[in-house]
Amino acid sequence: MTTSAKWEDLARRTASGIAMAVVGLGAIWSGGAALAILAAIVTGLMIWELAMMTAGARARIAAPLLGLFAAGILYGAVTNHAAPVFLAALALPPVAAAIVATRLRVAVLAYGTAILLTGYALVAFRAGYGLGFVLWLVLLVVVTDVMGYFGGRLIGGPKFWPKVSPKKTWSGTLAGWAGAAVLAACFVLWAGAPAWLIGFSVIVAFASQLGDIAESAIKRRTGVKDSSNILPGHGGVLDRFDGLIGAVTLLVLWGFVLPLPGFGG
């Protein structure tokens, strides 16, 4: 790969990344209805993309309806979180996507469930753990991705899992872990986070990378390069938020067993 080819998508990635950061951080800062609406929209788009990748040609007509259905269910769940019926309804969009799918139905059900869980948990984390926790989470995923991108292209070297994600290298993976540790150290020093957040952040960064790999595996099995072309330089919404799905899934599972870090208000 030539030097210019390595960086040809950098300008588009940067521009769209800044736009997403402004919208996303604004919603996270505001919390409440703004974050609920954004989470619903993003969740709906990701379910739409998942259905488009895995459904047959005739069944793809249902993908936009599935996306709208998922967005509505997610919004209802986060705004009526005390009602068990809305929480139970979160299972419906993944099940519907698996029914529509003509391949990888188990993977669609599992990944679709993780998508709905991520949308719900992000809003719940903001309400329950506060702004500092969600900022740490989102920045961790971003830093892991950015450091992985530059580490992989500047250093290169052996591939991490070439059969599933041919572009991901060990150098990029380790760079992502290093970036996560440095970010966590900043939260320890200036936001009152516990010191164990540093090691924990490396674990969450790895979960974020596994979320990326899981989506890569689905795309590879379906012969798709990008989940869609909505985001210039990034591909689809799933391509951008796959890391967040992996990180949030780990945090939810972790929270059932051990306490999550609290800091920053």
Side-chain angles (χ1 to χ4, degrees):
M1 180 182 293
T2 64
T3 301
S4 59
K6 282 185 178 181
W7 308 106
E8 62 182 358
D9 62 342
L10 182 58
R12 288 180 298 164
R13 284 176 64 94
T14 301
S16 58
I18 291 173
M20 284 187 289
V22 170
V23 174
L25 290 176
I28 290 169
W29 190 276
S30 299
L35 183 56
I37 292 170
L38 181 62
I41 292 172
V42 172
T43 297
L45 288 171
M46 289 193 289
I47 289 293
W48 165 68
E49 290 178 344
L50 183 62
M52 288 294 291
M53 287 192 292
T54 57
R58 292 184 179 179
R60 285 175 191 160
I61 193 172
L65 296 177
L66 279 175
L68 289 172
F69 180 51
I73 290 292
L74 193 282
Y75 185 77
V78 298
T79 53
N80 298 274
H81 58 86
V85 64
F86 283 97
L87 295 178
L90 290 174
L92 296 178
V95 170
I99 292 172
V100 169
T102 57
R103 55 193 131 176
L104 303 176
R105 282 181 170 163
V106 174
V108 170
L109 179 61
Y111 205 67
T113 300
I115 289 171
L116 269 293
L117 182 66
T118 298
Y120 180 83
L122 193 63
V123 179
F125 285 158
R126 176 64 176 87
Y129 289 94
L131 176 61
F133 181 87
V134 178
L135 284 177
W136 161 76
L137 168 60
V138 172
L139 290 175
L140 174 69
V141 173
V142 172
V143 167
T144 300
D145 182 63
V146 170
M147 291 296 292
Y149 176 85
F150 283 102
R153 280 161 175 73
L154 289 172
I155 302 173
K159 303 297 182 181
F160 180 79
W161 199 344
K163 290 184 178 181
V164 177
S165 185
K167 290 184 178 180
K168 193 171 295 295
T169 61
W170 268 106
S171 60
T173 301
L174 295 174
W177 296 354
V182 171
L183 175 72
C186 293
F187 274 85
V188 171
L189 292 173
W190 295 307
W196 60 269
L197 182 72
I198 297 175
F200 183 62
S201 292
V202 175
I203 297 173
V204 178
F206 185 46
S208 173
Q209 292 165 337
L210 290 179
D212 185 344
I213 289 173
E215 195 229 357
S216 294
I218 293 173
K219 290 192 297 184
R220 195 166 182 80
R221 291 288 300 277
T222 56
V224 173
K225 182 179 183 294
D226 296 317
S227 59
S228 75
N229 58 0
I230 291 178
L231 304 174
H234 294 274
V237 180
L238 264 177
D239 298 324
R240 179 63 277 163
F241 292 101
D242 50 7
L244 186 63
I245 293 170
V248 170
T249 300
L250 171 67
L251 291 176
V252 171
L253 295 175
W254 185 284
F256 280 121
V257 181
L258 296 170
L260 293 171
F263 53 88

